[in-house]
Amino acid sequence: MSSTITYTVTGMSCGHCENSVSKELSTLTGVTEVSADAKAGTVTVSAAAPLDDELVRAAVDEAGYELVGRAA
């Protein structure tokens, strides 16, 4: 069962930021696509199975940014 979730991420301000977050999230098992948007402050993650939000948070933290939560 695949899933696509959009998260709110603070601290991204440019393409380099988007790439850093995308690269880190792409390493999570099952992730099939990542789309970061610095201007909107969001990251959309598609995966083959539901992701653990804490694993997503840890990956965003590792990239140097803060995951606020799931976008409304």
Side-chain angles (χ1 to χ4, degrees), residues 7-46:
Y7 297 93
T8 301
V9 176
T10 60
M12 295 189 302
S13 61
C14 63
H16 175 73
C17 300
E18 294 170 346
N19 290 337
S20 294
V21 171
S22 295
K23 182 178 177 183
E24 205 59 51
L25 287 169
S26 293
T27 66
L28 295 178
T29 302
V31 170
T32 56
E33 185 177 351
V34 179
S35 176
D37 184 340
K39 192 172 193 175
T42 60
V43 176
T44 301
V45 183
S46 297

Side-chain angles (χ1 to χ4, degrees), residues 39-70:
K39 192 172 193 175
T42 60
V43 176
T44 301
V45 183
S46 297
L51 290 171
D52 180 334
D53 286 347
E54 289 309 309
L55 292 176
V56 174
R57 181 179 307 280
V60 171
D61 286 349
E62 183 67 28
Y65 305 94
E66 182 182 354
L67 184 135
V68 176
R70 292 186 181 206

